[in-house]
Amino acid sequence: MNTNTATVPRHLGLILDGNRRWAKEHGLPIYEGHKAGYRNMEAILDAAMDRGVECVSVYAFSTENWSRSADEVKQLMRLFLWIFKHELGNLKRHGVRVQVIGNKVRLGKALLKAIHTAEVETKGNTRGTLLFCLDYGGQQEIVEAMKQLVASGVDASELTVERITEQMQSEGVPPADLIIRTSGEQRLSNFMLWQAAYSEFMFTPTKWPDFSVAELNSMLDTYAQRHRRFGK
């Protein structure tokens, strides 16, 4: 496998679509689809980092997802709590650093505590970063960055791409080189809008729980053949 860093995305963004449809196709409760989606995320994360990807961001729960049924939202929050509490040891063993970005205002105290613990205890891990986008929206991230700049007294004439980037929640994370969306939809849905300025995009009809390491590797091989000009 080609692991030349010039042909491997530093930052891989994943829009994990299709968990609910997968569950319905298999005659399972929606919650089981989300659980299957997380189990697959572990395998894909490991494979991506084996290929040399430094950061994998996952669109786990958008600001718009609060409009889903109260029962599904409750089950998802319970799943997130389980991940940050019970999967932390596994992530630490694999050398993965955990970072979480998003609003967080509506997340429960127990989940916020578990997130804080996961971020603190994995801060020194160097194999790669799992950027968990939870209660996240790309537009909201940009708006919050601008509000902070205005509040700090920055004049409009002083605004630059670099200055705004420094205020983003994802500050320190490289731009998204490749974004993959599963389950057939072909749109960003408010994911990583600032970071996706020069992203490559790949889409697949495969539902997220069925998205395989083989399909990931095929996409990474395709990415390695693309000539990225960045407008030049």
Side-chain angles (χ1 to χ4, degrees):
M1 265 186 250
N2 183 358
T3 56
N4 185 332
T5 55
T7 58
V8 175
R10 291 184 64 200
H11 178 184
L12 169 65
L14 297 173
I15 302 177
L16 319 180
D17 205 7
N19 290 341
R20 296 195 294 179
R21 277 168 279 182
W22 181 91
K24 289 176 181 177
E25 286 181 1
H26 289 77
L28 297 169
I30 290 174
Y31 179 66
E32 293 300 322
H34 292 306
K35 283 175 63 179
Y38 173 71
R39 288 193 294 269
N40 193 47
M41 189 198 78
E42 288 185 299
I44 297 300
L45 175 69
D46 199 48
M49 290 185 176
D50 277 349
R51 288 289 297 261
V53 176
E54 296 176 21
C55 176
V56 177
S57 58
V58 296
Y59 204 9
F61 190 87
S62 73
T63 53
E64 293 79 17
N65 287 156
W66 290 106
S67 63
R68 293 185 177 182
S69 71
D71 182 60
E72 184 179 358
V73 170
K74 181 179 179 180
Q75 290 177 342
L76 279 167
M77 293 302 148
R78 188 170 64 194
L79 175 61
F80 297 144
L81 179 60
W82 179 84
I83 290 170
F84 288 113
K85 288 184 70 174
H86 300 285
E87 289 295 294
L88 179 57
N90 188 40
L91 291 166
K92 288 166 69 174
R93 282 192 296 275
H94 284 82
V96 176
R97 181 183 182 185
V98 176
Q99 288 183 265
V100 180
I101 62 172
N103 192 356
K104 301 181 184 177
V105 171
R106 288 189 277 185
L107 305 182
K109 290 182 180 179
L111 179 53
L112 287 173
K113 182 179 179 181
I115 288 171
H116 177 72
T117 298
E119 290 182 322
V120 170
E121 293 192 8
T122 63
K123 190 173 183 178
N125 291 351
T126 57
R127 184 186 178 208
T129 297
L130 169 60
L131 186 66
F132 216 82
C133 301
L134 186 55
D135 194 7
Y136 172 85
Q139 291 177 329
Q140 290 80 358
E141 184 184 14
I142 295 169
V143 169
E144 288 304 313
M146 296 305 297
K147 283 182 177 179
Q148 291 175 31
L149 288 167
V150 170
S152 64
V154 175
D155 187 77
S157 63
E158 300 176 297
L159 291 176
T160 62
V161 170
E162 293 74 20
R163 195 78 180 265
I164 296 170
T165 299
E166 289 171 358
Q167 290 298 318
M168 303 292 281
Q169 289 188 41
S170 55
E171 191 275 326
V173 173
D177 298 301
L178 171 62
I179 294 177
I180 296 172
R181 181 166 187 163
T182 56
S183 200
E185 305 292 351
Q186 297 189 16
R187 55 179 178 266
L188 277 175
S189 295
N190 206 17
F191 176 65
M192 291 278 161
L193 301 184
W194 185 263
Q195 301 83 350
Y198 287 100
S199 297
E200 299 290 317
F201 298 98
M202 295 186 192
F203 304 98
T204 173
T206 306
K207 295 173 182 63
W208 174 251
D210 289 330
F211 184 74
S212 66
V213 170
E215 191 165 5
L216 170 71
N217 283 329
S218 176
M219 288 184 170
L220 292 177
D221 290 341
T222 299
Y223 172 88
Q225 301 304 314
R226 293 189 177 181
H227 180 54
R228 305 180 72 204
R229 295 183 293 275
F230 299 95
K232 298 178 182 177

